[in-house]
Amino acid sequence: MTLYGDDATIRQILTAAGDTWAVVGLSDNPERAAYRVAEKLQRIGKRVVPVHPKAETVHGEQGYASLAEIPFPVDVVDVFVNSALAGGIADQAVAIGAKAIWFQLGVIDEAAYDRTREAGLLMVMDRSPGREIPRLALG
């Protein structure tokens, strides 16, 4: 199994990349993994901005239909969409000036991983911050 993100990179994204996380695919459905991961991110002090076509308010934060619509800087883009769409989201994250991109478990696009790293962003793929936060004793 290939690991796309070592512990040092994961720790850096979770602790030093910044506190504003855009979570692409986050809706107000508590049954979805994005909803639960967003709660964990908030518990460790992250501002979670929902990005979803419905632009719903989730966990007290106004949602936006796309990354480009967010009117303030975003530090990390956390991607909960299928792998076929993830590369486009990664390119949008680069375009808005994010510092890091995180593709969730099962979200894999090796070309996007390479492009993102070449653009100078931190990148983790096929991992969950919801699992990494307790594993690295971050919250």
Side-chain angles (χ1 to χ4, degrees):
M1 178 173 118
T2 302
L3 289 180
Y4 302 96
D6 58 20
D7 284 356
T9 301
I10 291 168
R11 186 177 296 278
Q12 187 175 3
I13 292 173
L14 288 169
T15 63
D19 290 334
T20 302
W21 286 53
V23 180
V24 179
L26 175 58
S27 71
D28 67 354
N29 182 347
E31 301 301 315
R32 305 290 298 183
Y35 189 91
R36 295 185 302 275
V37 168
E39 282 181 320
K40 287 183 180 182
L41 289 167
Q42 283 185 322
R43 280 200 298 270
I44 65 165
K46 305 302 179 191
R47 179 182 184 187
V48 174
V49 181
V51 179
H52 190 278
K54 294 180 183 176
E56 299 170 317
T57 297
V58 183
H59 299 307
E61 286 286 346
Q62 169 64 48
Y64 298 89
S66 70
L67 290 173
E69 293 180 20
I70 300 173
F72 46 82
V74 170
D75 301 309
V76 180
V77 175
D78 189 5
V79 180
F80 279 92
V81 300
N82 70 49
S83 298
L85 300 175
I89 301 296
D91 295 338
Q92 292 171 37
V94 171
I96 67 164
K99 298 173 190 165
I101 302 173
W102 192 304
F103 283 7
Q104 287 296 315
L105 285 172
V107 180
I108 299 171
D109 182 330
E110 291 183 3
Y113 182 84
D114 292 340
R115 282 195 313 273
T116 300
R117 301 284 310 262
E118 288 168 12
L121 280 72
L122 297 168
M123 174 76 173
V124 171
M125 182 167 70
D126 194 25
R127 305 286 284 270
S128 170
R131 292 182 181 182
E132 299 300 325
I133 290 166
R135 186 181 72 79
L136 296 173
L138 297 174

